[in-house]
Amino acid sequence: SGVLSNKRDDSDHLKHLHAPINDIVSQWDKVVYLYGDPEKAALSLIRRDFAKENIKKLKSPHSIGDASLETYIQLVEEHGKDLIGIEKHFNLWLGTPNTLFLDTGAIGTPEFDDAMSEHIGACFGPTAKKERMSAGVESKVFKEVYAKLYRHMQSSVGKL
């Protein structure tokens, strides 16, 4: 049997599946939902020009078109919330049976490896944490929107 994973290139259309669709999720014994700092995720998506694609994939009700980073920050400031759909996505997956939520900030720790091993019967060995390139943002509103979301994620499922 082994451990199955969604395809990195998303050719199976399972990467960032917008919600736990019963006829798909029911085929899986267990699910691992990896989440991280949503501010870093949003900045990365904008920087790599994947935001528009992810907004569509996550079925976010918002549209940012081909917004630059500066424009996206302004839109978040105006609306006071995540516009990509990270929060909606996370909330839709909460409560999904047999789902382990793990913070990517814990990758490479014994606690992360233990949780993976206990949940799916396997771990992937030492994994180096990859530093990301997204630069910080000065906007206090932007930072608080995503800090609040991150606190919500961690308090909903624990900090590991």
Side-chain angles (χ1 to χ4, degrees):
S1 82
V3 176
L4 299 175
S5 176
N6 56 293
K7 295 189 186 279
R8 184 180 180 140
D9 67 357
D10 199 27
S11 59
D12 58 3
H13 306 289
L14 297 175
K15 190 172 188 174
H16 303 125
L17 188 63
H18 85 281
I21 301 167
N22 285 337
D23 60 337
I24 295 174
V25 176
S26 64
Q27 298 174 37
W28 303 330
D29 293 329
K30 300 190 178 184
V31 174
V32 176
Y33 184 112
L34 295 174
Y35 71 94
D37 182 340
E39 177 184 342
K40 290 178 182 176
L43 292 173
S44 176
L45 289 169
I46 297 287
R47 179 181 55 80
R48 295 180 300 139
D49 216 15
F50 292 153
K52 188 175 179 180
E53 176 184 332
N54 272 271
I55 286 171
K56 184 177 178 183
K57 187 145 177 83
L58 297 180
K59 298 189 178 183
S60 174
H62 306 287
S63 174
I64 64 165
D66 293 320
S68 66
L69 179 58
E70 294 77 21
T71 301
Y72 182 70
I73 291 168
Q74 289 173 349
L75 289 168
V76 169
E77 289 175 334
E78 288 171 22
H79 294 274
K81 61 183 174 183
D82 163 53
L83 302 176
I84 292 173
I86 297 169
E87 182 170 18
K88 177 184 172 210
H89 184 262
F90 180 82
N91 289 334
L92 284 170
W93 280 87
L94 277 177
T96 303
N98 299 318
T99 299
L100 173 66
F101 289 81
L102 290 174
D103 189 328
T104 58
I107 289 175
T109 66
E111 295 83 7
F112 182 92
D113 292 343
D114 290 348
M116 286 288 285
S117 182
E118 183 179 321
H119 186 67
I120 62 171
C123 71
F124 303 102
T127 307
K129 189 172 178 184
K130 187 176 177 182
E131 282 301 314
R132 302 297 182 183
M133 295 174 47
S134 294
V137 170
E138 298 298 319
S139 167
K140 289 181 181 180
V141 173
F142 183 91
K143 291 180 100 34
E144 184 51 37
V145 162
Y146 285 105
K148 181 180 175 186
L149 174 53
Y150 199 21
R151 288 190 302 271
H152 163 66
M153 295 166 99
Q154 291 177 321
S155 69
S156 297
V157 297
K159 291 191 177 183
L160 182 62

